[in-house]
Amino acid sequence: GAPLGAAVATEAARKLAAGCTNLTELRRAVEGFDGCALKATATNTVFADGAEGAEVMFIGEAPGEDEDRQGKPFVGVSGQMLDRMLGFIGLTRENFYITNTLYWRPPGNRTPTDAEVVTCHPFLERQIALCDPKILVLVGGRAAKTLLDTPQGITKLRGKWHDYNGIPTLPMLHPAYLLRNAAQKRLAWRDAVKLRLKMDELGIAPAP
Ligand code: URA
């Protein structure tokens, strides 16, 4: 159907999300939701990848072309860079649960509108609650801004532990940004080490 007004769509999303008692139900609810205009131009719904029981959850910005085609987050060049960052601390994506602030690709990878982000947000909040991670990693400025509800930029936020509903939360530079600014990689690698140290501190063992 036609996209709903943002307030109506957000309320509809909230009701749907509240009725979901596990991530499988939530995935179905998101896949069946027509209230976000982005769905009309997307090929696939990109809900999540990785282990549902993971204690660390990554949240990126939005699906790109490869993600839209495959229906999975971070499978393109950004995802390969993310994999290298994880490899650096002895981990793979199977150790994590990964999603985005949006479940559909903005056409031509344009910046999502506030209405699109706000409409998807009740689903994301529910997804975090149902995943119940011990650590949250916010990949890039848009995810950090959305989840931490702050106007501060990613260069200020990254590499420090923040709080989201009692969950230790680490904002990191976006891999797409690192692909354009290789000199910033050392900061991202430093942040990856921070993540690994916190996992060790909390006794989160990577899957064998
Ligand atoms: N960039 C993101 O933020 N998320 C993806 O899933 C892919 C690229």
Side-chain angles (χ1 to χ4, degrees), residues 10-154:
T10 306
E11 190 47 36
R14 194 177 309 287
K15 285 220 180 79
L16 269 171
C20 296
T21 58
N22 59 57
L23 290 167
T24 305
E25 285 177 14
L26 188 67
R27 178 192 286 265
R28 287 206 195 98
V30 169
E31 284 169 353
F33 183 67
D34 286 324
C36 178
L38 294 175
K39 192 187 183 191
T41 49
T43 306
N44 279 301
T45 300
V46 179
F47 184 71
D49 196 16
E52 288 209 347
E55 292 171 298
V56 183
M57 180 172 179
F58 277 65
I59 303 175
E61 180 176 325
E65 191 179 3
D66 294 307
E67 290 76 20
D68 182 47
R69 200 181 313 118
Q70 296 186 43
K72 284 185 181 181
F74 284 107
V75 290
V77 283
S78 286
Q80 287 158 20
M81 172 66 86
L82 189 63
D83 286 343
R84 285 202 289 280
M85 283 166 64
L86 298 176
F88 181 67
I89 54 170
L91 303 171
T92 71
R93 68 169 66 206
E94 282 71 45
N95 298 119
F96 306 104
Y97 182 77
I98 309 177
T99 190
N100 283 303
T101 59
L102 290 167
Y103 302 102
W104 298 279
R105 180 196 184 201
N109 300 341
R110 69 157 166 75
T111 302
T113 66
D114 287 346
E116 288 156 357
V117 175
V118 165
T119 300
C120 290
H121 200 61
F123 291 122
L124 181 62
E125 285 182 318
R126 190 77 183 130
Q127 196 173 11
I128 297 168
L130 291 172
C131 182
D132 194 22
K134 293 204 174 87
I135 293 176
L136 263 184
V137 179
L138 306 178
V139 184
R142 160 109 1 207
K145 199 172 148 188
T146 304
L147 273 300
L148 299 176
D149 197 21
T150 171
Q152 278 200 328
I154 188 67

